[in-house]
């Protein structure tokens, strides 16, 4: 298991920072994180598998770009040689500036307004952003072996992908740099300043802006529960209202297919990163099943 001694050594070597504290944090389904203190300063040290390093560095670059335009995004502290990450055995370590505040409440109407506003603003500010490590959207393959896990899985995922394909033939969707997984807890409100930061850029991707909005709507409980979020995004973001209305239902259904694909792969590979009980993977899969059946 990755220990704090390894992190402390890397911080001294690659960043010339002698940490006073280094505590492992819980959660994180694709990474291992530590809270780091150096004097009065706080940081987050994040380790991802080597296979995810390019995407991780793309997300760090997005956070860095947003920080330059006054959006708190957990920007990276570059190493002494100017790199975004440093290698560890089997992975890559990045050091991020800590963003304080409370997570937004997905069910609160005012929080939904802030959520949609910040996501829309981030999409506008990232216009023209490019990085070679940013994955191209999308990655769901209806012929993937792990979709044999349960009988409903392949037909449901295949149907959602086919529906998305038809949409892309008939509609021109606006695209750009995306957060990739803009859950409410990735948006942090600082009560003292009123500023809202956006963290956790490790799932970044280039794709339709409405995919990010669909992700947020999924976490808010669906279109009928996310009116404030959608309205705020429409006012602040780069996507015309007509495109949102036309594309959101299909992108939301596809987003649930992404969930189904993700959890099926985790179950098949017995991946329990970030969870205490493997049953959480099964619950995630079946939540996606239920949403795809009712959507």
């Amino acid at each position: 298991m990755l220990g704090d001694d390894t992190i402390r050594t890397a911080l001294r070597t690659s960043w010339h920072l002698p940490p006073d504290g280094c505590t492992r944090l819980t959660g994180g389904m694709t990474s291992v994180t530590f809270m780091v203190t150096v004097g009065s300063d706080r940081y987050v040290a994040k380790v991802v598998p080597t296979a995810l390093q390019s995407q991780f560095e793309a997300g760090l670059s997005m956070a860095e770009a947003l920080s330059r335009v006054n959006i708190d995004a957990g920007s990276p502290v570059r190493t002494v040689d100017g790199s975004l990450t440093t290698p560890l055995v089997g992975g890559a370590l990045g050091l991020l500036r800590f963003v304080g505040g409370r997570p937004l409440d997905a069910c609160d109407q005012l929080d939904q307004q802030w959520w949609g506003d910040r996501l829309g603003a981030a999409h506008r500010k990232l216009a023209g952003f490019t990085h070679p490590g940013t994955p191209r959207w999308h990655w769901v393959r209806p012929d993937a072996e792990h979709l044999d896990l349960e009988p409903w899985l392949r037909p449901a995922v295949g149907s959602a992908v086919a529906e998305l394909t038809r949409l892309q033939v008939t509609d021109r969707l606006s695209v750009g740099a995306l957060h990739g997984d803009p859950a409410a807890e990735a948006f942090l409100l600082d009560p003292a300043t009123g500023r809202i930061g956006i963290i956790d850029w490790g799932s970044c991707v280039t794709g339709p802006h409405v995919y990010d909005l669909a992700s947020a709507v999924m976490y808010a409980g669906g279109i009928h529960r996310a009116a404030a979020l959608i309205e705020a995004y429409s006012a602040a973001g780069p996507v015309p209202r007509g495109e949102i209305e036309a594309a959101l239902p299909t992108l939301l259904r596809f987003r649930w297919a992404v969930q189904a694909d993700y959890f099926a792969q985790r179950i098949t590979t017995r991946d329990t990163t970030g969870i205490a009980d493997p049953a959480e993977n099964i619950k995630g899969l079946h939540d996606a099943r239920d949403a795809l059946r009712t959507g």
Side-chain angles (χ1 to χ4, degrees):
M1 179 180 290
L2 183 65
D4 65 332
D5 287 345
T6 301
I7 304 300
R8 288 174 181 270
T9 298
L11 292 174
R12 292 189 185 99
T13 303
S14 297
W15 281 271
H16 293 179
L17 286 176
D20 299 310
C22 183
T23 305
R24 184 165 178 165
L25 303 174
T26 57
M29 300 182 81
T30 59
S31 63
V32 178
T33 57
F34 295 79
M35 177 63 71
V36 174
T37 57
V38 181
S40 60
D41 295 324
R42 287 191 290 175
Y43 305 92
V44 174
K46 180 174 287 191
V47 182
V48 303
T50 302
L52 298 178
Q53 179 175 353
S54 294
Q55 185 178 21
F56 181 44
E57 291 188 350
L60 293 177
S61 292
M62 283 189 191
E64 192 172 57
L66 288 172
S67 296
R68 292 194 192 106
V69 292
N70 204 31
I71 294 180
D72 300 328
S75 61
V77 179
R78 290 183 176 262
T79 66
V80 292
D81 67 1
S83 301
L84 288 165
T85 64
T86 195
L88 297 179
V89 176
L93 169 67
L95 185 65
L96 291 65
R97 291 177 174 84
F98 176 76
V99 178
R102 68 156 178 88
L104 296 184
D105 182 344
C107 298
D108 182 272
Q109 295 298 294
L110 181 56
D111 278 19
Q112 280 198 18
Q113 292 177 31
W114 288 330
W115 188 3
D117 177 80
R118 284 291 83 189
L119 182 61
H123 283 172
R124 282 195 179 276
K125 295 296 186 181
L126 287 170
F129 175 90
T130 59
H131 187 281
T134 311
R136 297 291 299 179
W137 187 87
H138 68 86
W139 54 91
V140 179
R141 293 175 41 243
D143 62 345
E145 291 184 9
H146 58 263
L147 295 182
D148 286 328
L149 184 64
E150 294 187 3
W152 64 272
L153 189 50
R154 189 181 303 280
V157 171
S159 175
V161 171
E163 186 179 342
L164 173 64
T165 300
R166 289 192 295 272
L167 174 70
Q168 291 178 300
V169 169
T170 59
D171 291 68
R172 186 180 183 89
L173 303 181
S174 58
V175 300
L178 310 180
H179 182 281
D181 194 32
E185 55 264 30
F187 293 72
L188 302 176
L189 170 64
D190 183 346
T193 64
R195 293 175 65 87
I196 297 173
I198 313 175
I199 62 171
D200 293 339
W201 290 88
S203 297
C204 69
V205 65
T206 297
H209 289 114
V210 181
Y211 176 75
D212 248 7
L213 177 60
S215 296
V217 169
M218 179 187 73
Y219 288 119
I223 292 174
H224 63 293
R225 295 181 178 175
L229 165 63
I230 296 167
E231 183 65 26
Y233 178 84
S234 177
V239 183
R241 185 180 296 271
E243 180 182 334
I244 293 173
E245 293 174 352
L248 183 55
T250 298
L251 268 295
L252 179 58
R253 182 171 175 79
F254 176 75
R255 184 62 179 83
W256 277 114
V258 169
Q259 289 292 96
D261 177 75
Y262 173 71
F263 283 108
Q265 187 168 34
R266 281 176 63 91
I267 293 168
T268 302
T269 59
R270 299 182 180 180
D271 184 354
T272 57
T273 306
I275 59 176
D277 185 343
E280 294 182 46
N281 281 335
I282 298 173
K283 182 181 184 305
L285 179 66
H286 289 169
D287 285 347
R289 175 198 62 193
D290 295 344
L292 287 166
R293 284 177 174 172
T294 59

